[in-house]
Amino acid sequence: MRYITGGIALGAALALGSLAGAGTTATASPSPIPAAQTQSLYAPSALVLTIGQGDSAATAGVQRAVTLTCTPKAAGSHPNTSGACAQLRLSNGDFDKLVKIKDGTMCTREWNPSTVTAEGVWEGRRVSFEHTFANPCEMKAGKGTVFEF
C-alpha cells in the first residue's frame, strides 16, 4: 500500500510541475535527432595484400602485408595507393592480368616459390586471389604495381 501512495504522489508532483512550468517562457528544447548516416555512392573496394615465401597461401610464411582502399579515394598502407588502384581499375579487378610475367623475361629455373594474395572486396565483389611465382625473378617481372610493396 505504501508503494501505491508514493507512486501516486510522485505522479501528481510531476503533473503539477509540468502545469506550473507551462506558463513560463523557458522551455526545454527536444534533443536533436541524429542525422542518418549516408551511404557511399561507390561500391566498396578494400583489400589486404600479402607476399609470402612458400608454394601456397596456406603454407607460405607472410613476409609483408598492406591494406589498399580505392574508393572513394586511394588510401591504405600500400606505398603507392594511387598507382595500385589505377592498375586495378585498368584490369577491371582481374588479378590474373596483373600477375602476368612480362614477355622476354629471362629467369633461372630454380624453385624458390613466393605467393601473393589479395583478400577483401573490389567494387562490391568478394575477392580471394592467390598466385605463386616460381622464384623471386619471376615475381619481380610479374607482380606489377599492386604487389610492389
Side-chain angles (χ1 to χ4, degrees):
M1 184 73 164
R2 191 170 36 177
Y3 297 112
I4 294 173
T5 56
I8 293 172
L10 179 62
L14 289 173
L16 289 175
S18 66
L19 289 176
T24 64
T25 57
T27 60
S29 62
S31 61
I33 298 172
Q37 292 182 349
T38 58
Q39 296 291 327
S40 174
L41 297 176
Y42 305 99
S45 292
L47 301 164
V48 175
L49 308 170
T50 66
I51 296 176
Q53 193 68 34
D55 59 357
S56 72
T59 60
V62 175
Q63 295 174 321
R64 294 180 300 277
V66 297
T67 58
L68 179 65
T69 302
C70 292
T71 52
K73 65 177 190 165
S77 61
H78 193 287
N80 184 359
T81 55
S82 58
C85 289
Q87 191 177 42
L88 277 165
R89 284 188 191 99
L90 284 174
S91 72
N92 202 21
D94 185 356
F95 286 89
D96 287 320
K97 289 180 182 176
L98 298 176
V99 295
K100 284 191 133 186
I101 298 172
K102 297 174 187 125
D103 291 336
T105 302
M106 303 284 280
C107 290
T108 60
R109 293 186 164 254
E110 69 179 305
W111 180 247
N112 184 9
S114 294
T115 301
V116 296
T117 65
E119 296 285 334
V121 178
W122 175 254
E123 294 183 347
R125 294 183 320 242
R126 178 86 175 101
V127 172
S128 183
F129 174 79
E130 174 183 338
H131 181 80
T132 302
F133 295 100
N135 54 52
C137 176
E138 285 188 6
M139 187 170 97
K140 185 175 182 180
K143 65 183 173 181
T145 307
V146 173
F147 293 104
E148 183 68 43
F149 55 87

